[in-house]
Amino acid sequence: MTRLAEIATPVYRVETVAPEAQYQLLGMRSKIAGPFLRETKAGAEISATRLNRVEAGDFIFSRLFAWQGSFGLIPADLDGCYVSNEFPIFRIHTERVVPDYLVYWFGLAQVQKRVESDCTGSTPGTRNRYSERHFLRLSLELPTIGVQRSILDKIEAVAQRLDEARRLRQEIQGDLCALFLAMAHRNDLSPAEKQAHGWQEVALSEILSQSVDDVAVEAGQTYAHFGIYSFGKGLFRKAHLSGDEIKASRLYRASQGQFIYGRLNAYEGAFGIVTKEFDGSHVSNEFPIFDCDETRVLPEFLLAYFSAPAVWEALKRQVTGIGGGAGNRRIRLKEGVFLAHRLWLPRLDDQRRIKSVAAKLDEAKAIRARAEAEFDALLPAVLDKAFKGEL
């Protein structure tokens, strides 16, 4: 058995943060998916006084999320980026171990359990840190470099097939998304051609009416509530809240089939349809809710229309407080401005076709989510067989 202390040397490339300099900061994905460029910040915006610079080939992990498998290597395109001291860095002794072999080893279920048991802290989801001391005292069976490469070849052959399956599912979903938007906008037609095809130019106030199903918040009661993702990604469930926790005196109940948006993030695509899953759930007054006149407009058409970034940009120019700049997180799209927005409305027959594409898109998303879960479960099994010589 070989201890990691024999094949991994801690590296410290500490630099003092200069207020005027720009720093590309990294994060770490879980499930040995490696580092990624999280953001670029000026030194003046960074609270830390020192950062560590990484180089291509470094082995790195997240102290805070090691228990989720946040281990990986720095690729060439992230050479020269920076991390805080929450991301220990090591140089791997490549004459004894192939770095990718070590990364995959950390993907083994039994190794992940050992890492999790060595973490310290009272709350696993937030402060459960993994120390360099525990990392360096881990031991593994280390075959020859040739055997390591042979094992890696087998793992990567399977991983490539999984990646190809992921890519194909993502491509199908992307094609459906593109069709969904194209059918709602028909940018290939001029206004005169749209009119000839039975489209009408209308204000949203002609086809939507605001719903105000308000509920008094009562102590001791619990309330199901939800939020809206930005960038056209739809609604998401939040944990139930007790009336004792809610500062507002009233909440607003949503019903299936209604159209809804977030005032604060409308210019980032925070629009959605209330589906059966969210029927009867609640939101604050920051989420205006609308009933559709379904003799003229279907909510699926509105979702397709408001999924286009060009529409978000148009709305941004109308948002109250835009003088504060696009980075101002307190600018809101008021209902009056929203309802005054004008758009081309297709015939109901065309909208029904958009609705059918929406159903296929939802199905594709569900299939992809199930497939991702299956892929995530499959890789640890593949790694186990590979390291046992059974693959």
Side-chain angles (χ1 to χ4, degrees):
M1 298 292 282
T2 302
R3 295 182 66 190
L4 291 193
E6 300 174 48
I7 57 173
T9 302
V11 174
Y12 306 95
R13 304 187 194 93
V14 181
E15 296 185 11
T16 301
V17 174
E20 69 282 358
Q22 295 287 317
Y23 295 90
Q24 292 183 305
L25 304 175
L26 302 185
M28 288 290 293
R29 301 181 183 92
S30 61
K31 300 175 183 176
I32 61 167
F36 65 95
L37 180 61
R38 191 181 76 236
E39 59 187 339
T40 300
K41 278 189 171 184
E45 300 176 287
I46 298 172
S47 57
T49 58
R50 294 182 177 184
L51 292 172
N52 293 320
R53 181 172 50 80
V54 301
E55 293 182 359
D58 285 344
F59 187 94
I60 187 171
F61 70 84
S62 164
R63 283 195 185 124
L64 197 54
F65 295 106
W67 65 282
Q68 292 183 349
S70 289
F71 296 86
L73 299 172
I74 300 297
D77 61 342
L78 296 181
D79 183 85
C81 292
Y82 292 84
V83 293
S84 74
N85 61 3
E86 289 288 354
F87 299 88
I89 304 167
F90 302 85
R91 291 306 286 186
I92 301 301
H93 301 185
T94 54
E95 73 281 0
R96 298 193 61 189
V97 61
V98 180
D100 284 312
Y101 181 88
L102 185 60
V103 173
Y104 282 121
W105 183 77
F106 274 99
L108 289 168
Q110 64 269 29
V111 177
Q112 192 57 64
K113 286 179 182 177
R114 171 64 188 275
V115 169
E116 188 169 1
S117 69
D118 284 339
C119 287
T120 59
S122 58
T123 53
T126 54
R127 311 243 59 87
N128 208 359
R129 284 179 167 81
Y130 187 60
S131 72
E132 296 96 311
R133 175 172 56 88
H134 284 106
F135 172 84
L136 290 170
R137 77 182 186 190
L138 286 175
S139 297
L140 75 162
E141 291 185 11
L142 206 58
T144 65
I145 291 290
V147 171
Q148 291 177 45
R149 292 194 185 282
S150 176
I151 291 171
L152 279 174
D153 287 344
K154 293 174 182 177
I155 293 172
E156 288 173 356
V158 175
Q160 284 176 6
R161 290 198 289 272
L162 292 177
D163 287 343
E164 177 64 10
R166 283 192 176 100
R167 186 192 65 77
L168 289 172
R169 293 202 181 280
Q170 186 172 3
E171 192 174 281
I172 290 168
Q173 185 178 323
D175 289 345
L176 284 170
C177 282
L179 178 61
F180 190 49
L181 267 66
M183 291 175 71
H185 288 269
R186 290 303 304 268
N187 291 327
D188 57 315
L189 299 179
S190 68
E193 289 171 322
K194 287 180 178 179
Q195 198 166 26
H197 282 77
W199 290 45
Q200 296 178 323
E201 188 179 19
V202 300
L204 287 174
S205 59
E206 299 175 49
I207 53 176
L208 295 178
S209 56
Q210 189 165 3
S211 170
V212 186
D213 185 3
D214 56 328
V215 176
V217 175
E218 298 179 16
Q221 295 294 317
T222 58
Y223 298 88
H225 73 133
F226 62 90
I228 309 178
Y229 288 119
S230 294
F231 309 111
K233 294 183 179 178
L235 312 186
F236 64 94
R237 175 72 63 196
K238 292 184 176 181
H240 284 44
L241 283 178
S242 165
D244 305 278
E245 303 175 81
I246 301 172
K247 294 180 181 178
S249 61
R250 309 193 79 78
L251 293 174
Y252 297 82
R253 187 161 42 212
S255 298
Q256 184 176 354
Q258 292 178 320
F259 192 74
I260 186 169
Y261 75 86
R263 282 182 184 153
L264 194 58
N265 297 99
Y267 64 93
E268 290 181 346
F271 297 90
I273 298 173
V274 180
T275 59
K276 183 178 180 180
E277 177 189 355
F278 299 95
D279 184 56
S281 296
H282 305 83
V283 290
S284 74
N285 63 356
E286 290 288 1
F287 297 87
I289 305 169
F290 300 88
D291 292 314
C292 300
D293 177 358
E294 294 203 22
T295 65
R296 300 190 66 190
V297 64
L298 300 182
E300 290 79 9
F301 161 73
L302 291 175
L303 182 62
Y305 176 83
F306 283 103
S307 294
V311 175
W312 312 338
E313 288 298 317
L315 288 170
K316 188 194 297 186
R317 293 192 289 270
Q318 299 173 284
V319 168
T320 303
I322 196 66
N328 186 339
R329 302 299 298 169
R330 309 310 304 168
I331 57 179
R332 290 170 166 81
L333 178 65
K334 298 294 181 66
E335 292 92 311
V337 176
F338 174 73
L339 289 170
H341 182 76
R342 299 187 67 82
L343 74 164
W344 281 97
L345 185 68
R347 299 176 307 169
L348 277 175
D349 284 348
D350 292 328
Q351 293 185 51
R352 291 188 187 101
R353 282 189 280 273
I354 291 171
K355 182 177 179 178
S356 70
V357 173
K360 291 177 183 176
L361 182 55
D362 287 342
E363 183 181 354
K365 289 178 180 177
I367 291 172
R368 184 180 171 195
R370 289 195 298 271
E372 287 293 333
E374 290 170 3
F375 293 155
D376 287 343
L378 182 58
L379 185 57
V382 169
L383 295 179
D384 184 62
K385 286 184 175 295
F387 277 89
K388 289 178 179 177
E390 300 174 359
L391 192 63

